[in-house]
Structures are given as structure tokens and as C-alpha cells.
Amino acid sequence: ITLFGQAVARYPEREVAHLNLAGQLIRHGDFSSARAHLEKALAIDGNLVEALIASGQIDLREDRPEEALQKTERAITLAPEYGSIHLAYLLRAQAHKMMGSPELALKDLVLAAQRNSGYAPIYHEQGICYAMIGEHRAALNSYSKARALGNNEPALLLNIAISQGWTGNYTASIGTLDELLAKDQRSAEGWFLKGIALGRLGENGC
């Protein structure tokens, strides 16, 4: 961060200097300072796609989906062939989801996958949106794609277990929750859902 800060001090009118420093600040969790430098970068060059996407990420973290939506739409309009434009579609999908429109989110996730089919977060988000509209089998299909791409994070395992439960496959749900709890023994949601699944399994005798 120090070196990037020195670059900004030396070249305060260069948007790339502010963008690079903002990226480092985001990695260190200093989103407020990152936003300030992204705003400076965009004040210098309002068409800087990388800054629009990064700023949209912060907007979503701060529960400002309307602002994220505007920035990602601008990024997509400005540079539809940009190498990382799948991130803009993913962020726009997340904004739609936060605003209560999972169907719109799913359309954006299809576009994101068309531009980068190997990016696991797209399929995790797709599964969440399918689950929101009650399509749990479709959700499981999307989650399986995320896992195949190497995503085994606790959040994904939890969502898989939930959809497995909704489809009545409590044995599979318990297995997934055991995998989750092996990674995170403090997961209150994991233990709670396992208790429910065990109860349902006992009720059904299967």
C-alpha cells in the first residue's frame, strides 16, 4: 500500500495510480479509503471500466444495489468486450437479487457465464437465485458446476444442503452438512440444519 500511496502522491492526476491504490485497499478491507480513490479515478476518467466495476463491488458490500446497478450498466455499455466484463454482469446480477428481482439476475448470470464459463462464483450466485424462486433442482445443478470448478467454501456447502433438504434428499443434505462442519465446526446454521435434516429423516424412516 505504501508504494501505491507514493505513486498517488507523485502522480495525483493519473487515474491508474488511484485505481491501483484502491485495489490494494480493497484487498486489505479498507473499503472507505478505496471508494475515495475510485471516485478520484472516475473524476479523472469517467469511462474507466475497472474503476466502475470495483466501485460497484463496494456498493454491494455497503448495501447500495441501486448505485452498483448504475455503475455496472455503464461498464457493460462502455466496454462489452472488456476481458473481465463477466464481473460487471455478475455484480449487476447481485444488485438485481438484492433488489428482489432474481429472474433479472438469472438473465445476467447467463450472460456472465457466456463470457467466462470457468468462473465459479457465477454458478454459486445462479444457484442462489434459482433457490430464491423455488427451483431447487436447478439450484443444485448450478451449485454442482461451482464445485466442479473448485469452489468448496462453507457458504456454498450450506446452500447445497439447504436445496438438498428442500428436494427431500435429507441423507445427502446431512452428508453435505458433515462436510461443512468438518471445515467450520462453529457454523451455527450448519448444526441447526443438520438437526432439522436428522429429524426429517427419522420422520420419513429413510
Side-chain angles (χ1 to χ4, degrees):
I1 291 178
T2 300
L3 291 175
F4 287 107
Q6 291 173 349
V8 167
R10 187 171 182 179
Y11 306 107
E13 297 307 314
R14 292 191 180 180
E15 69 278 9
V16 174
H18 289 285
L19 178 64
N20 289 336
L21 178 55
Q24 291 299 312
L25 290 166
I26 289 172
R27 291 186 184 92
H28 285 80
D30 188 350
F31 300 108
S32 178
S33 297
R35 177 183 288 281
H37 284 285
L38 289 169
E39 288 176 352
K40 289 178 182 177
L42 288 168
I44 298 168
D45 181 359
N47 295 334
L48 191 59
V49 173
E50 298 95 325
L52 289 167
I53 291 174
S55 186
Q57 290 176 321
I58 295 175
D59 287 333
L60 291 178
R61 282 182 173 271
E62 296 179 349
D63 197 24
R64 297 155 72 167
E66 293 86 358
E67 293 183 30
L69 192 65
Q70 292 175 359
K71 291 169 185 172
T72 52
E73 286 180 346
R74 181 164 177 74
I76 291 166
T77 299
L78 286 169
E81 302 304 320
Y82 172 61
S84 296
I85 202 65
H86 63 282
L87 296 176
Y89 283 106
L90 174 58
L91 293 171
R92 191 169 73 173
Q94 291 171 328
H96 281 308
K97 181 191 70 177
M98 290 177 68
M99 295 167 68
S101 298
E103 294 88 354
L104 290 177
L106 286 167
K107 292 179 180 179
D108 270 338
L109 292 166
V110 169
L111 295 172
Q114 287 174 351
R115 285 154 179 81
N116 188 344
S117 61
Y119 192 58
I122 294 171
Y123 302 105
H124 187 183
E125 194 68 29
Q126 190 178 59
I128 293 171
C129 291
Y130 275 127
M132 286 179 69
I133 60 175
E135 297 288 343
H136 289 283
R137 295 192 186 280
L140 288 170
N141 183 54
S142 295
Y143 293 147
S144 69
K145 292 179 182 178
R147 291 205 72 176
L149 290 168
N151 185 347
N152 288 304
E153 296 177 356
L156 175 61
L157 295 175
L158 184 66
N159 286 327
I160 291 172
I162 290 171
S163 285
Q164 286 170 332
W166 276 106
T167 59
N169 194 345
Y170 302 114
T171 299
S173 182
I174 291 168
T176 303
L177 290 167
D178 283 340
E179 186 178 352
L180 163 64
L181 293 168
K183 292 176 177 288
D184 181 9
Q185 293 185 355
R186 297 183 179 182
S187 174
E189 289 178 305
W191 287 111
F192 176 72
L193 289 172
K194 183 176 179 179
I196 292 176
L198 286 168
R200 296 290 176 83
L201 197 62
E203 290 173 5
N204 294 337
C206 60

